PDB file of all heavy atoms in Angstrom:
ATOM      1  N   THR B  86       4.562   4.130  -8.936  1.00 92.00           N
ATOM      2  CA  THR B  86       4.976   5.420  -8.342  1.00 92.00           C
ATOM      3  C   THR B  86       3.835   6.493  -8.653  1.00 92.00           C
ATOM      4  O   THR B  86       3.384   7.175  -7.760  1.00 92.00           O
ATOM      5  CB  THR B  86       6.312   5.901  -8.881  1.00 92.00           C
ATOM      6  OG1 THR B  86       7.261   4.888  -8.555  1.00 92.00           O
ATOM      7  CG2 THR B  86       6.692   7.183  -8.167  1.00 92.00           C
ATOM      8  N   ALA B  87       3.404   6.454  -9.933  1.00 93.00           N
ATOM      9  CA  ALA B  87       2.362   7.399 -10.267  1.00 93.00           C
ATOM     10  C   ALA B  87       1.074   7.091  -9.518  1.00 93.00           C
ATOM     11  O   ALA B  87       0.353   8.081  -8.985  1.00 93.00           O
ATOM     12  CB  ALA B  87       2.050   7.291 -11.840  1.00 93.00           C
ATOM     13  N   ALA B  88       0.740   5.794  -9.325  1.00 92.00           N
ATOM     14  CA  ALA B  88      -0.450   5.450  -8.618  1.00 92.00           C
ATOM     15  C   ALA B  88      -0.389   5.924  -7.178  1.00 92.00           C
ATOM     16  O   ALA B  88      -1.323   6.504  -6.619  1.00 92.00           O
ATOM     17  CB  ALA B  88      -0.713   3.978  -8.648  1.00 92.00           C
ATOM     18  N   ARG B  89       0.819   5.817  -6.554  1.00 92.00           N
ATOM     19  CA  ARG B  89       0.909   6.179  -5.173  1.00 92.00           C
ATOM     20  C   ARG B  89       0.811   7.771  -5.001  1.00 92.00           C
ATOM     21  O   ARG B  89       0.193   8.227  -4.079  1.00 92.00           O
ATOM     22  CB  ARG B  89       2.328   5.724  -4.711  1.00 92.00           C
ATOM     23  CG  ARG B  89       2.445   5.628  -3.236  1.00 92.00           C
ATOM     24  CD  ARG B  89       3.552   4.571  -2.831  1.00 92.00           C
ATOM     25  NE  ARG B  89       4.722   4.563  -3.623  1.00 92.00           N
ATOM     26  CZ  ARG B  89       5.616   5.495  -3.627  1.00 92.00           C
ATOM     27  NH1 ARG B  89       5.512   6.610  -2.789  1.00 92.00           N
ATOM     28  NH2 ARG B  89       6.677   5.379  -4.327  1.00 92.00           N
ATOM     29  N   GLN B  90       1.380   8.385  -5.994  1.00 91.00           N
ATOM     30  CA  GLN B  90       1.326   9.858  -5.955  1.00 91.00           C
ATOM     31  C   GLN B  90      -0.125  10.371  -6.061  1.00 91.00           C
ATOM     32  O   GLN B  90      -0.627  11.204  -5.330  1.00 91.00           O
ATOM     33  CB  GLN B  90       2.108  10.465  -7.041  1.00 91.00           C
ATOM     34  CG  GLN B  90       2.113  12.010  -7.082  1.00 91.00           C
ATOM     35  CD  GLN B  90       2.951  12.537  -8.181  1.00 91.00           C
ATOM     36  OE1 GLN B  90       4.150  12.323  -8.204  1.00 91.00           O
ATOM     37  NE2 GLN B  90       2.368  13.240  -9.132  1.00 91.00           N
ATOM     38  N   VAL B  91      -0.842   9.728  -7.002  1.00 89.00           N
ATOM     39  CA  VAL B  91      -2.210  10.218  -7.272  1.00 89.00           C
ATOM     40  C   VAL B  91      -3.072   9.798  -6.056  1.00 89.00           C
ATOM     41  O   VAL B  91      -3.901  10.591  -5.585  1.00 89.00           O
ATOM     42  CB  VAL B  91      -2.729   9.578  -8.502  1.00 89.00           C
ATOM     43  CG1 VAL B  91      -4.287   9.787  -8.621  1.00 89.00           C
ATOM     44  CG2 VAL B  91      -2.096  10.141  -9.739  1.00 89.00           C
ATOM     45  N   GLU B  92      -2.864   8.635  -5.492  1.00 90.00           N
ATOM     46  CA  GLU B  92      -3.622   8.202  -4.362  1.00 90.00           C
ATOM     47  C   GLU B  92      -3.445   9.072  -3.245  1.00 90.00           C
ATOM     48  O   GLU B  92      -4.334   9.452  -2.470  1.00 90.00           O
ATOM     49  CB  GLU B  92      -3.167   6.794  -3.921  1.00 90.00           C
ATOM     50  CG  GLU B  92      -4.272   5.733  -3.968  1.00 90.00           C
ATOM     51  CD  GLU B  92      -3.726   4.314  -3.695  1.00 90.00           C
ATOM     52  OE1 GLU B  92      -3.523   4.004  -2.469  1.00 90.00           O
ATOM     53  OE2 GLU B  92      -3.553   3.594  -4.686  1.00 90.00           O
ATOM     54  N   GLN B  93      -2.190   9.545  -3.028  1.00 89.00           N
ATOM     55  CA  GLN B  93      -1.848  10.490  -1.957  1.00 89.00           C
ATOM     56  C   GLN B  93      -2.652  11.797  -2.092  1.00 89.00           C
ATOM     57  O   GLN B  93      -3.245  12.264  -1.175  1.00 89.00           O
ATOM     58  CB  GLN B  93      -0.343  10.726  -2.040  1.00 89.00           C
ATOM     59  CG  GLN B  93       0.209  11.319  -0.776  1.00 89.00           C
ATOM     60  CD  GLN B  93       0.161  10.442   0.468  1.00 89.00           C
ATOM     61  OE1 GLN B  93      -0.080   9.220   0.293  1.00 89.00           O
ATOM     62  NE2 GLN B  93       0.283  10.964   1.605  1.00 89.00           N
ATOM     63  N   GLU B  94      -2.610  12.364  -3.267  1.00 86.00           N
ATOM     64  CA  GLU B  94      -3.326  13.604  -3.492  1.00 86.00           C
ATOM     65  C   GLU B  94      -4.825  13.395  -3.296  1.00 86.00           C
ATOM     66  O   GLU B  94      -5.503  14.264  -2.724  1.00 86.00           O
ATOM     67  CB  GLU B  94      -3.081  14.096  -4.949  1.00 86.00           C
ATOM     68  CG  GLU B  94      -1.662  14.528  -5.177  1.00 86.00           C
ATOM     69  CD  GLU B  94      -1.270  14.706  -6.650  1.00 86.00           C
ATOM     70  OE1 GLU B  94      -2.229  14.657  -7.436  1.00 86.00           O
ATOM     71  OE2 GLU B  94      -0.090  14.863  -6.975  1.00 86.00           O
ATOM     72  N   TRP B  95      -5.317  12.269  -3.722  1.00 86.00           N
ATOM     73  CA  TRP B  95      -6.737  12.017  -3.595  1.00 86.00           C
ATOM     74  C   TRP B  95      -7.072  11.795  -2.122  1.00 86.00           C
ATOM     75  O   TRP B  95      -8.082  12.330  -1.674  1.00 86.00           O
ATOM     76  CB  TRP B  95      -7.061  10.685  -4.352  1.00 86.00           C
ATOM     77  CG  TRP B  95      -8.474  10.482  -4.677  1.00 86.00           C
ATOM     78  CD1 TRP B  95      -9.527  11.275  -4.415  1.00 86.00           C
ATOM     79  CD2 TRP B  95      -9.014   9.411  -5.394  1.00 86.00           C
ATOM     80  NE1 TRP B  95     -10.672  10.797  -4.823  1.00 86.00           N
ATOM     81  CE2 TRP B  95     -10.471   9.602  -5.434  1.00 86.00           C
ATOM     82  CE3 TRP B  95      -8.515   8.254  -5.992  1.00 86.00           C
ATOM     83  CZ2 TRP B  95     -11.258   8.744  -6.076  1.00 86.00           C
ATOM     84  CZ3 TRP B  95      -9.375   7.401  -6.717  1.00 86.00           C
ATOM     85  CH2 TRP B  95     -10.766   7.662  -6.685  1.00 86.00           C
ATOM     86  N   ASN B  96      -6.285  11.087  -1.428  1.00 87.00           N
ATOM     87  CA  ASN B  96      -6.524  10.919   0.039  1.00 87.00           C
ATOM     88  C   ASN B  96      -6.585  12.223   0.841  1.00 87.00           C
ATOM     89  O   ASN B  96      -7.448  12.360   1.709  1.00 87.00           O
ATOM     90  CB  ASN B  96      -5.426  10.005   0.642  1.00 87.00           C
ATOM     91  CG  ASN B  96      -5.788   8.534   0.543  1.00 87.00           C
ATOM     92  OD1 ASN B  96      -6.933   8.138   0.367  1.00 87.00           O
ATOM     93  ND2 ASN B  96      -4.787   7.672   0.658  1.00 87.00           N
ATOM     94  N   GLU B  97      -5.754  13.160   0.508  1.00 84.00           N
ATOM     95  CA  GLU B  97      -5.787  14.400   1.170  1.00 84.00           C
ATOM     96  C   GLU B  97      -7.178  15.120   1.019  1.00 84.00           C
ATOM     97  O   GLU B  97      -7.698  15.713   2.008  1.00 84.00           O
ATOM     98  CB  GLU B  97      -4.775  15.429   0.591  1.00 84.00           C
ATOM     99  CG  GLU B  97      -3.317  15.138   1.050  1.00 84.00           C
ATOM    100  CD  GLU B  97      -2.350  15.919   0.357  1.00 84.00           C
ATOM    101  OE1 GLU B  97      -2.683  17.063  -0.094  1.00 84.00           O
ATOM    102  OE2 GLU B  97      -1.188  15.486   0.143  1.00 84.00           O
ATOM    103  N   TRP B  98      -7.804  14.951  -0.095  1.00 85.00           N
ATOM    104  CA  TRP B  98      -8.982  15.600  -0.402  1.00 85.00           C
ATOM    105  C   TRP B  98     -10.127  14.738   0.214  1.00 85.00           C
ATOM    106  O   TRP B  98     -11.112  15.290   0.804  1.00 85.00           O
ATOM    107  CB  TRP B  98      -9.094  15.748  -1.952  1.00 85.00           C
ATOM    108  CG  TRP B  98     -10.406  15.644  -2.650  1.00 85.00           C
ATOM    109  CD1 TRP B  98     -10.610  14.930  -3.846  1.00 85.00           C
ATOM    110  CD2 TRP B  98     -11.611  16.260  -2.431  1.00 85.00           C
ATOM    111  NE1 TRP B  98     -11.823  15.026  -4.277  1.00 85.00           N
ATOM    112  CE2 TRP B  98     -12.548  15.893  -3.441  1.00 85.00           C
ATOM    113  CE3 TRP B  98     -12.104  17.110  -1.426  1.00 85.00           C
ATOM    114  CZ2 TRP B  98     -13.881  16.293  -3.540  1.00 85.00           C
ATOM    115  CZ3 TRP B  98     -13.430  17.544  -1.495  1.00 85.00           C
ATOM    116  CH2 TRP B  98     -14.260  17.145  -2.572  1.00 85.00           C
ATOM    117  N   LEU B  99     -10.010  13.388   0.232  1.00 89.00           N
ATOM    118  CA  LEU B  99     -11.023  12.587   0.852  1.00 89.00           C
ATOM    119  C   LEU B  99     -11.013  12.727   2.298  1.00 89.00           C
ATOM    120  O   LEU B  99     -12.051  12.505   2.959  1.00 89.00           O
ATOM    121  CB  LEU B  99     -10.729  11.083   0.450  1.00 89.00           C
ATOM    122  CG  LEU B  99     -11.035  10.706  -1.003  1.00 89.00           C
ATOM    123  CD1 LEU B  99     -10.602   9.234  -1.198  1.00 89.00           C
ATOM    124  CD2 LEU B  99     -12.485  10.880  -1.413  1.00 89.00           C
ATOM    125  N   ALA B 100      -9.907  12.992   2.931  1.00 90.00           N
ATOM    126  CA  ALA B 100      -9.825  13.084   4.371  1.00 90.00           C
ATOM    127  C   ALA B 100     -10.726  14.173   4.873  1.00 90.00           C
ATOM    128  O   ALA B 100     -11.191  14.090   6.034  1.00 90.00           O
ATOM    129  CB  ALA B 100      -8.379  13.346   4.788  1.00 90.00           C
ATOM    130  N   THR B 101     -10.985  15.138   4.069  1.00 88.00           N
ATOM    131  CA  THR B 101     -11.917  16.249   4.496  1.00 88.00           C
ATOM    132  C   THR B 101     -13.314  15.696   4.667  1.00 88.00           C
ATOM    133  O   THR B 101     -14.143  16.316   5.282  1.00 88.00           O
ATOM    134  CB  THR B 101     -11.904  17.406   3.527  1.00 88.00           C
ATOM    135  OG1 THR B 101     -12.507  16.931   2.266  1.00 88.00           O
ATOM    136  CG2 THR B 101     -10.523  17.927   3.224  1.00 88.00           C
ATOM    137  N   HIS B 102     -13.583  14.537   4.073  1.00 89.00           N
ATOM    138  CA  HIS B 102     -14.961  13.900   4.273  1.00 89.00           C
ATOM    139  C   HIS B 102     -14.829  12.687   5.169  1.00 89.00           C
ATOM    140  O   HIS B 102     -15.716  11.898   5.259  1.00 89.00           O
ATOM    141  CB  HIS B 102     -15.462  13.447   2.912  1.00 89.00           C
ATOM    142  CG  HIS B 102     -15.817  14.595   1.988  1.00 89.00           C
ATOM    143  ND1 HIS B 102     -17.002  15.214   2.000  1.00 89.00           N
ATOM    144  CD2 HIS B 102     -15.106  15.188   1.034  1.00 89.00           C
ATOM    145  CE1 HIS B 102     -17.035  16.113   1.117  1.00 89.00           C
ATOM    146  NE2 HIS B 102     -15.842  16.215   0.501  1.00 89.00           N
ATOM    147  N   GLY B 103     -13.712  12.542   5.841  1.00 89.00           N
ATOM    148  CA  GLY B 103     -13.532  11.347   6.785  1.00 89.00           C
ATOM    149  C   GLY B 103     -13.344  10.096   6.026  1.00 89.00           C
ATOM    150  O   GLY B 103     -13.630   8.968   6.616  1.00 89.00           O
ATOM    151  N   LEU B 104     -12.931  10.088   4.768  1.00 93.00           N
ATOM    152  CA  LEU B 104     -12.805   8.880   3.999  1.00 93.00           C
ATOM    153  C   LEU B 104     -11.384   8.599   3.613  1.00 93.00           C
ATOM    154  O   LEU B 104     -10.541   9.513   3.554  1.00 93.00           O
ATOM    155  CB  LEU B 104     -13.608   8.995   2.710  1.00 93.00           C
ATOM    156  CG  LEU B 104     -15.035   8.491   2.688  1.00 93.00           C
ATOM    157  CD1 LEU B 104     -15.594   8.591   1.355  1.00 93.00           C
ATOM    158  CD2 LEU B 104     -15.056   6.959   3.141  1.00 93.00           C
ATOM    159  N   THR B 105     -11.118   7.391   3.229  1.00 94.00           N
ATOM    160  CA  THR B 105      -9.823   7.033   2.582  1.00 94.00           C
ATOM    161  C   THR B 105     -10.174   6.547   1.191  1.00 94.00           C
ATOM    162  O   THR B 105     -11.326   6.240   0.889  1.00 94.00           O
ATOM    163  CB  THR B 105      -9.052   5.886   3.318  1.00 94.00           C
ATOM    164  OG1 THR B 105      -9.883   4.783   3.239  1.00 94.00           O
ATOM    165  CG2 THR B 105      -8.820   6.293   4.729  1.00 94.00           C
ATOM    166  N   HIS B 106      -9.156   6.325   0.412  1.00 92.00           N
ATOM    167  CA  HIS B 106      -9.239   5.811  -0.929  1.00 92.00           C
ATOM    168  C   HIS B 106     -10.007   4.529  -0.966  1.00 92.00           C
ATOM    169  O   HIS B 106     -10.973   4.386  -1.676  1.00 92.00           O
ATOM    170  CB  HIS B 106      -7.774   5.693  -1.359  1.00 92.00           C
ATOM    171  CG  HIS B 106      -7.652   5.234  -2.782  1.00 92.00           C
ATOM    172  ND1 HIS B 106      -7.204   4.006  -3.144  1.00 92.00           N
ATOM    173  CD2 HIS B 106      -7.946   5.858  -3.947  1.00 92.00           C
ATOM    174  CE1 HIS B 106      -7.185   3.932  -4.472  1.00 92.00           C
ATOM    175  NE2 HIS B 106      -7.699   5.034  -4.965  1.00 92.00           N
ATOM    176  N   ALA B 107      -9.518   3.585  -0.152  1.00 94.00           N
ATOM    177  CA  ALA B 107     -10.154   2.298  -0.102  1.00 94.00           C
ATOM    178  C   ALA B 107     -11.636   2.334   0.320  1.00 94.00           C
ATOM    179  O   ALA B 107     -12.491   1.604  -0.237  1.00 94.00           O
ATOM    180  CB  ALA B 107      -9.359   1.323   0.793  1.00 94.00           C
ATOM    181  N   GLY B 108     -11.892   3.192   1.306  1.00 95.00           N
ATOM    182  CA  GLY B 108     -13.231   3.371   1.772  1.00 95.00           C
ATOM    183  C   GLY B 108     -14.206   3.858   0.670  1.00 95.00           C
ATOM    184  O   GLY B 108     -15.308   3.401   0.572  1.00 95.00           O
ATOM    185  N   LEU B 109     -13.735   4.840  -0.119  1.00 93.00           N
ATOM    186  CA  LEU B 109     -14.570   5.350  -1.181  1.00 93.00           C
ATOM    187  C   LEU B 109     -14.951   4.291  -2.199  1.00 93.00           C
ATOM    188  O   LEU B 109     -16.084   4.185  -2.704  1.00 93.00           O
ATOM    189  CB  LEU B 109     -13.868   6.526  -1.890  1.00 93.00           C
ATOM    190  CG  LEU B 109     -14.697   7.100  -3.037  1.00 93.00           C
ATOM    191  CD1 LEU B 109     -16.055   7.656  -2.619  1.00 93.00           C
ATOM    192  CD2 LEU B 109     -13.937   8.183  -3.727  1.00 93.00           C
ATOM    193  N   LEU B 110     -13.934   3.474  -2.588  1.00 92.00           N
ATOM    194  CA  LEU B 110     -14.182   2.341  -3.473  1.00 92.00           C
ATOM    195  C   LEU B 110     -15.417   1.517  -3.029  1.00 92.00           C
ATOM    196  O   LEU B 110     -16.286   1.187  -3.734  1.00 92.00           O
ATOM    197  CB  LEU B 110     -12.972   1.460  -3.696  1.00 92.00           C
ATOM    198  CG  LEU B 110     -11.764   2.097  -4.325  1.00 92.00           C
ATOM    199  CD1 LEU B 110     -10.880   1.016  -4.953  1.00 92.00           C
ATOM    200  CD2 LEU B 110     -12.160   3.106  -5.390  1.00 92.00           C
ATOM    201  N   ALA B 111     -15.331   1.187  -1.779  1.00 94.00           N
ATOM    202  CA  ALA B 111     -16.349   0.381  -1.195  1.00 94.00           C
ATOM    203  C   ALA B 111     -17.724   1.000  -1.111  1.00 94.00           C
ATOM    204  O   ALA B 111     -18.738   0.535  -1.619  1.00 94.00           O
ATOM    205  CB  ALA B 111     -15.941  -0.116   0.224  1.00 94.00           C
ATOM    206  N   LEU B 112     -17.688   2.262  -0.678  1.00 94.00           N
ATOM    207  CA  LEU B 112     -18.918   3.089  -0.626  1.00 94.00           C
ATOM    208  C   LEU B 112     -19.532   3.176  -1.987  1.00 94.00           C
ATOM    209  O   LEU B 112     -20.769   3.135  -2.161  1.00 94.00           O
ATOM    210  CB  LEU B 112     -18.639   4.462  -0.117  1.00 94.00           C
ATOM    211  CG  LEU B 112     -18.685   4.685   1.428  1.00 94.00           C
ATOM    212  CD1 LEU B 112     -18.743   6.234   1.642  1.00 94.00           C
ATOM    213  CD2 LEU B 112     -19.996   4.081   1.986  1.00 94.00           C
TER     214      LEU B 112
END
Side-chain angles (χ1 to χ4, degrees):
Chain B
T86 307
R89 201 152 40 73
Q90 179 181 299
V91 169
E92 238 174 80
Q93 195 69 15
E94 291 165 11
W95 198 0
N96 271 339
E97 280 172 32
W98 145 229
L99 288 176
T101 65
H102 294 274
L104 265 186
T105 63
H106 183 248
L109 178 59
L110 295 202
L112 269 194

